Structures are given as structure tokens and as C-alpha cells.
Amino acid sequence: QVQLVESGGRLVQSGDSLRLSCAASGRPFSSYVTVGWFRQAPGKERKFVASIDWSGGSTYYRDSVKGRFTISRDSTTNTVYLQMNSLKPDDTAVYLCAAARIATMWDEWGQGTQVTVSS
């Protein structure tokens, strides 16, 4: 079983940048088809943010983060990153990493890292 550990979240100001990391242990990301980032704001449902196909590297983003966020992977360190630029208060949420063995069937989740963007 894989353990996913997110890090990098903190309090920042509007317009700042952050890079989140998701490290996998116990099983390599190469065992999964897709790795993604989701976010959940207080009182709201969890939403897809971005994903990357592990083998081919294709990336996908929700419309509201296109052009600001970039997902990437490092197979040597078994880590997935989410570079977030031009952050807005609406980006405030707990960000969770997830992995899927079948596309979009997310069966592994991390505990999340809090990102707070002040105006």
C-alpha cells in the first residue's frame, strides 16, 4: 500500500507563489496511471485541481487554475509537485494528493496540506 504525504502549504498573500509536494512511499507512482491534486475549502466539496499521467506526462487542469498552476513529476524521487503562481484568496483550501490505478478512479489519498491566501 502506498502512503502519500503532502507538504508545502502555508499562509501567503495574494499574488504569491507556492510549490506543493506529494511524496509516495511503499509503492512507486509508476504503479499508478494518474496522480492528481484536489482541494477542499471549508464547508465545500472536494474539487479536482490538476493531474498528470505518470507514463506519458499529459497534464490536465481545472479552468480556474489554468495558466497559474503547473503539475509535474519526478520519477527519481517519486514525487509530484504543484507549482502555484499568482495565488488568489479563492485558492484557499486543503490540498490533497491522490493516485489512480485506473484513470480517474482515485483510490489512494494523502492527508492534505493547508494553503491559505490572504487578500
Side-chain angles (χ1 to χ4, degrees), residues 31-98:
S31 299
Y32 298 87
V33 171
T34 306
V35 181
W37 286 95
F38 292 73
R39 66 187 183 189
Q40 187 164 18
K44 297 187 177 181
E45 62 183 21
R46 187 174 296 177
K47 295 183 179 179
F48 169 82
V49 175
S51 67
I52 185 165
D53 292 342
W54 191 260
S55 60
S58 296
T59 57
Y60 308 89
Y61 300 91
R62 70 178 298 107
D63 286 347
S64 62
V65 308
K66 285 180 180 177
R68 299 189 298 125
F69 290 12
T70 303
I71 188 171
S72 62
R73 70 194 193 290
D74 186 338
S75 58
T76 60
T77 60
N78 217 23
T79 304
V80 171
Y81 301 99
L82 185 67
Q83 177 67 42
M84 305 186 296
N85 299 328
S86 302
L87 282 162
K88 306 174 181 179
D90 283 350
D91 296 318
T92 294
V94 173
Y95 283 71
L96 303 106
C97 177

Side-chain angles (χ1 to χ4, degrees), residues 27 29 31-35 38 53 98-108:
R27 177 177 285 178
F29 274 135
S31 299
Y32 298 87
V33 171
T34 306
V35 181
F38 292 73
D53 292 342
R101 279 175 282 186
I102 300 174
T104 72
M105 293 184 65
W106 306 99
D107 45 7
E108 308 284 2

